[in-house]
Amino acid sequence: MSTDNSSKPAEASAGAASSNPGPSENGEDEKAAVYECNICLDTAHDAVVSMCGHLFCWPCLHQWLETRPQRQLCPVCKAGIGKDKVIPIYGRGNPNPQDPREKLPPRPSGQRPEPENTGGFPAFGFGDGGFQFSFGIGAFPFGIFTSSFNMSDNRPGPPQAGSPQHTEEQFLSRIFLWVAILFLFWLLIA
Amino acid sequence: MASMEKRLQKELLALTKDPPVGVKVNTDAITKNLAEWTVDLEGAPGTVFEGENFQLQFKFGSRYPFDSPQVMFIGPNIPLHPHVYSNGHICLSILTDDWSPALSVQSVCLSVVSMLSSCKEKKRPPDNALYVKTCSKNPKKTRWWYHDDSV
Ligand SMILES: [Zn+2]
Ligand SMILES: [Zn+2]
């Protein structure tokens, strides 16, 4: 058992990192770095390894998978990944190993904001509404353009000039034009 | 919040100890909780940005590294580049859709430097004027409406 040197470094470094966090020689540091989680950059705890060979703490990976449930990719190499596509790792120091995947969720799954929600930047004061707002500005003018162009172009039989219908339509398209102009003006000064 | 600070602490240590060429963290400009950084970038030799210096601002939310940081150019010199708007916003997919928690300040900096280095002609994006007028202050929000097709 003690002759099996190849399996030793994992145990030694994991032990060193958790029970002896003080300064160690450089070689030890590098060995420990090999067992760092690719997400928190700490020595992996409740470790799992993906099919593509990348190591994570299960809590870290789980949180990433929950962040983008529709697009579960390995953070390192973008290979497909998922709860049933990782293998838990049990070191010797763990007397009664339990699959880390059974221990979760460590936090309620209800608190998942959308990936692009930037609740973390309260300084800007933009909530979800901020996103809607900038989207609306981007798309709206084009909608107006198309509708006012259509009004003059795609009309099969324009009514006779001077007829009541004609005046009414002219009136309507003029309103649309003014709305568009006002909106553009507002855009410019906003 | 704690996990975000812990990770940023590690990144800061590694970056100051062993910085990549042309990338220098401005440690004086880092806020106390590590939520805001400024990184000085140098235009790579042999590229159109040789000899120029730029400042990249990072803002980290409490969900970092699961959420991407907010990254933009600040300061007097915004690189004249087809993917960099005059307000400092950068069109780079790893900053939004292609973000991964395995990326870091260092890898973002290196991506930005290589994006600059691959530039042949110094010019602004074609939609710069309209974009700068209509975009949100947060560059992370804006990619949606001009890259809708990739969603
Ligand atoms: Zn981890
Ligand atoms: Zn992988």
Side-chain angles (χ1 to χ4, degrees), chain A residues 50 52-54 74 76-79:
Chain A
S50 60
C52 45
H54 293 117
C74 170
V76 181
C77 68
K78 313 247 170 199

Side-chain angles (χ1 to χ4, degrees), chain B residues 37-71:
Chain B
W37 297 27
T38 308
V39 180
D40 296 323
L41 297 186
E42 272 171 33
T47 71
V48 292
F49 295 108
E50 175 165 5
E52 288 188 58
N53 289 292
F54 309 103
Q55 279 180 294
L56 209 52
Q57 181 193 60
F58 283 77
K59 289 186 180 179
F60 304 94
S62 58
R63 284 178 39 81
Y64 181 81
F66 299 99
D67 261 0
S68 60
Q70 186 189 316
V71 183

Side-chain angles (χ1 to χ4, degrees), chain A residues 39 42 68 71 75 115-116, chain B residues 6-7 67 97-98 100 144:
Chain A
I39 293 178
D42 231 328
R68 296 198 178 169
R71 235 178 122 208
E116 292 308 316
Chain B
K6 207 171 164 193
R7 194 186 127 147
D67 261 0
D97 290 2
D98 291 336
S100 134
W144 289 93

Side-chain angles (χ1 to χ4, degrees), chain B residues 7-103:
Chain B
R7 194 186 127 147
L8 285 172
Q9 199 77 57
K10 282 169 178 286
E11 289 195 44
L12 182 58
L13 193 72
L15 257 178
T16 42
K17 213 167 95 180
D18 191 15
V21 181
V23 176
K24 190 168 164 286
V25 182
N26 184 342
T27 42
D28 297 332
I30 292 181
T31 55
K32 223 183 248 162
N33 59 355
L34 295 178
E36 272 190 55
W37 297 27
T38 308
V39 180
D40 296 323
L41 297 186
E42 272 171 33
T47 71
V48 292
F49 295 108
E50 175 165 5
E52 288 188 58
N53 289 292
F54 309 103
Q55 279 180 294
L56 209 52
Q57 181 193 60
F58 283 77
K59 289 186 180 179
F60 304 94
S62 58
R63 284 178 39 81
Y64 181 81
F66 299 99
D67 261 0
S68 60
Q70 186 189 316
V71 183
M72 58 190 278
F73 282 103
I74 55 166
N77 196 14
I78 308 286
L80 207 52
H81 184 284
H83 293 163
V84 181
Y85 291 88
S86 53
N87 61 356
H89 290 196
I90 308 166
C91 173
L92 186 62
S93 66
I94 60 160
L95 298 180
T96 50
D97 290 2
D98 291 336
W99 170 256
S100 134
L103 294 172

